[in-house]
């Protein structure tokens, strides 16, 4: 599927598992202001694709080690996933990452030690709430970006 097909509307995203994600308390699934732009895609199982674009003339610092996934009121650290020279690596972010002016970083991230959602669990127990918290230093000012999502599976209505 194309990205256009996956983003159902400005606030609703369908991943390849046919799990729907709705951004809570926001008008748009992603985020953009005059300094920064986030593109976030919940993908397979626990992996989320994230792209952070620095729109300023100064360097930004993404503080991954302090970032969190919050899944149903429990906090988890963020792991980064990387493919380097044909080797699949999953590791904790141990240092902050710099984002040069007018450039971006792109990562696959996942919560440390748990699946962020399970289609089977969503079908059985109903919607699940997931937050992604990313602290970033912008122009020497600490900002925390807190994205809240509701994951759910659409059920088919039974015919009578």
């Amino acid at each position: 599927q194309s990205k256009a097909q996956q983003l159902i509307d400005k606030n609703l995203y369908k991943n390849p598992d046919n799990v729907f994600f709705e951004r809570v308390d926001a008008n748009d699934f992603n985020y953009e202001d005059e300094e920064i732009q986030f593109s976030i895609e919940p993908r397979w199982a626990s992996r989320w694709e994230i792209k952070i674009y620095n729109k300023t003339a100064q360097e930004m610092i993404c503080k991954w080690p302090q970032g969190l996934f919050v899944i149903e009121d429990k906090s988890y650290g963020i792991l980064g996933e990387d493919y380097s020279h044909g080797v699949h690596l999953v590791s904790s972010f141990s240092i902050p990452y710099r984002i040069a002016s007018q450039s971006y970083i792109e990562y696959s991230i996942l919560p440390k030690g748990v699946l962020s959602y399970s289609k089977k669990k969503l079908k059985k127990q109903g919607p699940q709430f997931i937050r992604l918290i990313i602290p970033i230093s912008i122009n020497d000012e600490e900002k925390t970006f807190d994205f809240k999502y509701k994951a759910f599976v659409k059920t088919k209505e039974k015919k009578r």
Side-chain angles (χ1 to χ4, degrees):
Q1 276 183 328
S2 73
K3 195 177 224 180
Q5 290 171 314
Q6 293 169 344
L7 192 59
I8 307 298
D9 65 31
K10 285 179 67 174
N11 205 32
L12 187 66
Y13 182 92
K14 183 177 98 176
N15 81 352
D17 278 338
N18 289 320
V19 173
F20 290 83
F21 291 83
E22 181 178 20
R23 178 121 180 257
V24 178
D25 299 329
N27 295 325
D28 199 334
F29 195 81
N30 294 301
Y31 177 81
E32 182 173 6
D33 63 24
E34 63 282 345
E35 298 175 314
I36 195 165
Q37 178 181 354
F38 287 88
S39 174
I40 301 169
E41 294 182 31
R43 303 295 291 163
W44 300 101
S46 281
R47 187 175 353 120
W48 294 60
E49 302 294 326
I50 185 164
K51 184 176 183 180
I52 304 169
Y53 183 71
N54 177 359
K55 296 166 63 176
T56 73
Q58 294 184 334
E59 177 180 272
M60 287 183 180
I61 300 173
C62 182
K63 300 189 173 184
W64 289 119
Q66 289 83 39
L68 294 170
F69 272 100
V70 180
I71 302 164
E72 295 296 333
D73 301 326
K74 186 171 180 184
S75 295
Y76 299 90
I78 295 176
L79 295 175
E81 186 175 55
D82 190 18
Y83 293 91
S84 182
H85 305 289
V87 177
H88 178 232
L89 303 169
V90 176
S91 62
S92 294
F93 288 104
S94 58
I95 59 170
Y97 280 69
R98 297 176 186 273
I99 310 171
S101 65
Q102 304 294 314
S103 72
Y104 67 91
I105 60 172
E106 194 169 30
Y107 284 101
S108 292
I109 60 172
L110 54 156
K112 187 175 186 175
V114 69
L115 290 176
S116 60
Y117 67 90
S118 154
K119 186 174 180 178
K120 186 176 179 180
K121 184 178 176 183
L122 291 172
K123 281 183 176 180
K124 186 177 179 182
Q125 297 178 358
Q128 181 177 6
F129 291 89
I130 300 167
R131 289 171 55 205
L132 176 57
I133 301 170
I134 304 170
I136 296 182
S137 178
I138 303 173
N139 297 324
D140 295 322
E141 181 184 344
E142 299 294 321
K143 293 188 177 185
T144 300
F145 295 90
D146 190 338
F147 301 97
K148 299 171 186 151
Y149 300 97
K150 178 174 87 171
F152 61 97
V153 176
K154 288 191 176 181
T155 56
K156 294 178 183 174
E157 293 184 20
K158 294 180 181 176
K159 294 181 181 179
R160 295 181 186 220

